[in-house]
Amino acid sequence: MSKTVSEVLAANNAYASEFNKGDLPMPPGRHFAILTCMDARLDPAKYAGLSEGDAHVIRNAGGRASDDAIRSLVISHKLLGTNEWFVIHHTDCGMETFTNEIMADLLESSLDTATVDESGWHDTGAGPGSVEGHYINWLTINDNAQSVVDDVKRIKGHPLVPANIPVYGYIYDCGSGRLVEVPEATAAGAV
Ligand SMILES: [Zn+2]
């Protein structure tokens, strides 16, 4: 068994041995959802004070309002009753470090993990890669605040999202742990 798997199972063993939340209902008790980045430095349960059963947390690279993120948000409201949503991007996001073209070129070169330095990303893998990366919109971020505004606007404008759900826009500061509002986003997400 890999070291990672044994560590995860040991941690789960400890968690389950003290677990007493087996009777929680499926709908989130606090009726809200967070769309945020998968970045390992972000812990939504901690930065937003969540316990099991409280809220939906939808995560992807960048915390972007992709079609699949919207799929989850629509389910979150339509079937599970959330009625307030947050879009939370963050400082120093990896999605600011590349473009669609850079990512596609790296993947075309090889599928191995790329390296990054002051001059940007480099592929040092052996290959072969794949041209499939050219057909994906990687939803990279050019301007952090603008990406929050764009995502809130996309969610609010989606035909499957009812008008009475407020969507709040924030940037999590990886340096301080603080959530900083993006007022233009929250304004765009107002009911
Ligand atoms: Zn990120």
Side-chain angles (χ1 to χ4, degrees), residues 37 39 62 90 93-94:
C37 185
D39 191 294
H90 66 99
C93 186

Side-chain angles (χ1 to χ4, degrees), residues 37-39 41-42 60-63 90-95 141:
C37 185
M38 69 184 190
D39 191 294
R41 294 166 293 180
L42 275 58
N60 63 31
H90 66 99
T91 60
D92 195 35
C93 186
M95 299 297 280
I141 293 173

Side-chain angles (χ1 to χ4, degrees), residues 148-159:
V148 177
V149 173
D150 291 346
D151 284 356
V152 168
K153 283 184 175 171
R154 179 168 197 230
I155 292 165
K156 281 299 282 187
H158 198 280

